[in-house]
Amino acid sequence: MSTHALSFLSGLRARWVAVIALAFAATLLGANLTAADAHKTETKAEAVHADHGGAACTSCCAAAPSWQKQFGYAYLTAYMFCLSFCLGALFLVLLNHLFDAQWMLPIRRFLEHIACLLCPTMAVLWIPIGALAPHIFPWMGPELQANPDHALHAKYPLFTTQAFYIVSGLLFVIWYVVTNGLRNASLAQDKDGAAVHTRTMRKYAAAGIFCFAFSLTGAAIYWMKALSHQFFSTMYGVVYFAGSVWVTVITTYWLLLYFKNRGDLRDVTREVTFHDCGKLFFAFTVFYAYIHFSQYFLIWNAAIPEETFWYVAREKGSWWWVGQITIFGHFWFPFLLLLPIHRKLNFQVMTTLTGWAWLCHYLDLQFNIGPVLYPDGLHFGFYDVLSLGFLISVLVFMFTRDFNAHPPYPQRDPRVAEAMGVYVDPASTKAAH
Amino acid sequence: MNAYGLMAVFDNPADAMHAAEKVRDAGYTKWDVHTPFPVHGMDAAMGLPNSKVGWFTFCGGAIGYTTGMTMIWWMNAYDYKIVIGGKPMMSPFFSFPVSYELTILLASFGSLIGMFLLNRLPRLHHPLLKNRKFCAGASHDKFIVVIETADPKFNTEETRKLLASAGSKHIELVED
């Protein structure tokens, strides 16, 4: 199996790797350049931090963060990055059943496998976060636990250590039930072709979309937004959702291309499948911009200190540039690039854009998580490489194992002929079975 | 009386699609296929490039966005300055929603105008509308290929042969 996992990686194009490496190098260079700038205004920054008054700042303004903090933040960023793909895949599978979509059939099986990584794989990988939580989340630290501030008090039943672990556990249970329910019915249909499985999957999808919305919001709030527990934003979960589906759709495009070239999905993949995938990516490019702009706009307009401090902290040092990458790299570049129809069908453009989307989404998560520990700017170090490498390797290995163990696409779905672009008379279909 | 074009009637979309491929490969430029419903793949069968309407939409959108931004700047920050909520006189944030609405509005106007211009609409009459067979079939259960006499490759005999070889059971010359 491990050789399969490696052959999967060999499909990465050299250009793809080069773009990521270059962009990371450029970002690091930018971070170093602006770090020098940040030192000059250090005293000013401390004054701003004193304004927040939060005990959170006692941890970040200390001389050097402990290894638990450094590793914890790096691991959390990598974890939220990987979680994006699993949740994005789950959403696309739910979407497939809710809209009874025909075009998604070729991509459904591998998305089901990616969604199933949520539990138990991602649950096991969450253990380091659970163990390091008191180091990662300032509100769980000893000072705030002993003397809760107003914000913590106001969010009382939710922001307690017990609630944190109970809700986190509950999220994995929900994900286990929904993802495995969907995949089991799909695999069962491969064997007997019964219509009842389609109805089962529709029921799972109808209930699952609500579970998905609540659980994703819960994960985004407890594991990411809670880093600044004083912060308020009703749109936080949706921003994470939009970014997650955005990066998942372009990755789906790339996987579809990869599996088509490898032969697994050759029979069901048509030009229109890629076009539809590209259109969905384009739609989420706009949707993410709309949602993140709305969050910023509401906070900017209301100008309440409990909310604005979050963005003020993210305009310091090289975080400013990470924010600019989100505006121009996450939105404007793919938006303008993909306006003409033919670019969505250009495999070289879309493959390169996959790497670009990974970078932008990772930086977006750094933008959400990093400033709490590193107020002076973006840090990308050994722990980040280690965490990302480890998590991605584990997920790729688990995914490849699942993918190779089952048929590559739903074999006897009622819409399989339609997805192949073949018209079959209802009567002859009956006779064939 | 001038002839407008040669009209060939087909009974199903597949035949019309194959006929379209033949006409396309024969190198005709002034021709069209009329069907009661959109037929998937017909664009490719006819060899049609992408519609140019998108450019009208894009220009409309760009004009809408710049108009919105300029209007808000001129009204709030230049012509009659009013401080609202301690905000700057001009900022891309508060002026974005309105500019965005104007982008959408003018982009849709652009699409509409572009569609009319490229289709050479409005026009009061079209020679095909005088043909009973066409009117009864094209919006009901027939798939009709029409090659105009204005096409440089048009030749009454050759074109008729081409359409007959594509399997049309009814071919007639439509008069202007």
Side-chain angles (χ1 to χ4, degrees):
Chain A
M1 281 302 165
S2 60
T3 49
H4 276 298
L6 289 174
S7 75
F8 179 90
L9 283 172
S10 69
L12 293 170
R13 298 251 179 106
R15 187 189 301 106
W16 201 89
V17 177
V19 165
I20 296 182
L22 268 175
F24 268 105
T27 318
L28 279 177
L29 189 69
N32 283 335
L33 290 176
T34 45
D37 223 25
H39 275 298
K40 285 181 209 158
T41 52
E42 208 166 4
T43 45
K44 203 173 149 193
E46 270 166 20
V48 174
H49 280 291
D51 280 349
H52 303 160
C57 290
T58 55
S59 56
C60 64
C61 294
S66 64
W67 75 265
Q68 289 101 328
K69 277 200 169 62
Q70 291 187 26
F71 174 72
Y73 275 73
Y75 191 85
L76 180 67
T77 314
Y79 185 86
M80 292 310 281
F81 180 69
C82 291
L83 188 73
S84 294
F85 296 99
C86 303
L87 287 171
L90 173 60
F91 176 73
L92 293 177
V93 175
L94 292 172
L95 213 61
N96 181 173
H97 297 300
L98 286 175
F99 293 112
D100 194 10
Q102 161 266 120
W103 74 269
M104 289 171 105
L105 186 121
I107 60 175
R108 202 180 85 205
R109 180 55 49 82
F110 70 72
L111 289 175
E112 281 168 351
H113 290 312
I114 298 174
C116 278
L117 294 171
L118 276 169
C119 194
T121 311
M122 286 304 272
V124 173
L125 293 172
W126 187 81
I127 291 171
I129 295 175
L132 291 172
H135 295 278
I136 301 172
F137 299 100
W139 70 270
M140 280 175 108
E143 302 103 356
L144 272 168
Q145 284 297 309
N147 303 304
D149 61 5
H150 177 70
L152 206 54
H153 188 70
K155 298 171 181 179
Y156 166 64
L158 286 175
F159 277 51
T160 54
T161 312
Q162 294 91 327
F164 177 80
Y165 288 107
I166 292 171
V167 172
S168 300
L170 203 62
L171 296 179
F172 288 112
V173 173
I174 293 172
W175 291 336
Y176 183 81
V177 173
V178 177
T179 55
N180 282 276
L182 283 165
R183 184 170 68 168
N184 289 344
S186 179
L187 290 175
Q189 196 171 45
D190 276 1
K191 296 201 175 73
D192 60 13
V196 65
H197 300 304
T198 299
R199 292 197 196 102
T200 310
M201 288 187 277
R202 280 181 196 162
K203 280 177 196 151
Y204 267 104
I209 194 75
F210 291 100
C211 298
F212 171 80
F214 282 111
S215 59
L216 180 138
T217 310
I221 289 178
Y222 268 105
W223 302 340
M224 215 156 70
K225 191 180 159 199
L227 291 165
S228 311
H229 70 280
Q230 307 96 329
F231 180 51
F232 292 86
S233 170
T234 46
M235 308 193 71
Y236 199 81
V238 191
V239 175
Y240 181 69
F241 160 76
S244 296
V245 179
W246 180 73
V247 75
T248 308
V249 174
I250 188 86
T251 310
T252 300
Y253 189 105
W254 181 77
L255 281 172
L256 183 69
L257 180 65
Y258 175 75
F259 286 129
K260 182 186 170 246
N261 289 343
R262 209 178 75 155
D264 306 88
L265 297 177
R266 194 183 294 136
D267 303 331
V268 275
T269 308
R270 294 185 295 151
E271 193 181 51
V272 69
T273 324
F274 287 105
H275 189 200
D276 288 337
C277 230
K279 282 191 283 190
L280 195 62
F281 175 71
F282 183 73
F284 268 90
T285 305
V286 179
F287 182 66
Y288 176 84
Y290 166 64
I291 290 297
H292 204 158
F293 173 79
S294 299
Q295 175 175 282
Y296 188 89
F297 179 67
L298 290 177
I299 289 172
W300 184 88
N301 231 359
I304 301 167
E306 288 93 322
E307 296 173 352
T308 47
F309 84 92
W310 198 85
Y311 276 110
V312 170
R314 279 153 184 81
E315 286 175 8
K316 302 255 178 290
S318 57
W319 293 119
W320 165 264
W321 294 106
V322 178
Q324 298 306 304
I325 288 179
T326 301
I327 298 171
F328 294 100
H330 201 301
F331 173 63
W332 281 111
F333 172 59
F335 174 74
L336 293 175
L337 186 74
L338 292 183
L339 269 179
I341 189 170
H342 65 90
R343 296 256 171 73
K344 300 186 190 83
L345 295 169
N346 185 325
F347 293 145
Q348 288 190 337
V349 166
M350 293 303 276
T351 312
T352 315
L353 205 56
T354 310
W356 179 250
W358 276 47
L359 174 75
C360 285
H361 186 61
Y362 182 75
L363 287 176
D364 182 30
L365 294 176
Q366 279 280 5
F367 183 79
N368 275 274
I369 293 167
V372 181
L373 188 64
Y374 306 108
D376 57 329
L378 177 70
H379 279 241
F380 186 81
F382 173 67
Y383 285 131
D384 294 276
V385 179
L386 191 76
S387 309
L388 263 182
F390 170 69
L391 285 171
I392 292 175
S393 315
V394 171
L395 292 182
V396 167
F397 176 76
M398 295 303 286
F399 168 73
T400 315
R401 210 183 59 158
D402 283 348
F403 186 80
N404 290 337
H406 299 290
Y409 57 89
Q411 303 286 295
R412 295 169 80 176
D413 188 277
R415 295 202 177 272
V416 72
E418 204 184 336
M420 287 173 163
V422 188
Y423 178 73
V424 184
D425 284 322
S428 64
T429 321
K430 260 180 215 160
H433 286 285
Chain B
M1 239 185 206
N2 291 327
Y4 167 74
L6 208 53
M7 166 179 118
V9 182
F10 296 89
D11 288 335
N12 58 58
D15 287 350
M17 192 111 103
H18 293 310
E21 282 164 358
K22 281 196 169 183
V23 177
R24 172 198 68 192
D25 294 342
Y28 288 92
T29 48
K30 294 195 167 193
W31 61 292
D32 209 348
V33 183
H34 304 265
T35 59
F37 51 82
V39 178
H40 282 288
M42 190 57 93
D43 298 31
M46 290 177 68
L48 289 179
N50 272 332
S51 164
K52 289 181 181 62
V53 172
W55 287 105
F56 287 86
T57 315
F58 182 79
C59 293
I63 292 168
Y65 186 77
T66 28
T67 309
M69 282 288 178
T70 318
M71 178 183 76
I72 293 166
W73 167 81
W74 189 77
M75 293 194 301
N76 282 7
Y78 184 78
D79 186 48
Y80 200 94
K81 292 177 184 173
I82 305 177
V83 180
I84 299 164
K87 294 283 191 295
M89 291 297 178
M90 178 63 191
S91 156
F93 304 121
F94 69 69
S95 43
F96 184 79
V98 171
S99 309
Y100 167 77
E101 298 297 343
L102 263 179
T103 310
I104 303 296
L105 184 72
L106 294 204
S108 50
F109 284 169
S111 308
L112 192 71
I113 293 167
M115 187 275 287
F116 268 87
L117 285 177
L118 293 174
N119 282 329
R120 290 167 199 171
L121 289 171
R123 59 183 290 177
L124 297 173
H125 179 67
H126 194 278
L128 284 170
L129 297 175
K130 214 161 55 180
N131 187 295
R132 279 175 190 278
K133 187 97 181 162
F134 180 86
C135 289
S139 61
H140 185 47
D141 63 347
K142 297 286 184 241
F143 304 82
I144 300 172
V145 179
V146 180
I147 303 176
E148 293 177 29
T149 49
D151 192 295
K153 289 207 78 171
F154 187 88
N155 173 304
T156 317
E157 288 312 306
E158 292 297 314
T159 308
R160 186 181 282 272
K161 258 186 219 162
L162 177 78
L163 290 170
S165 74
S168 172
K169 294 195 186 74
H170 178 94
I171 300 174
E172 74 168 87
L173 203 62
V174 181
E175 285 175 350
D176 203 353

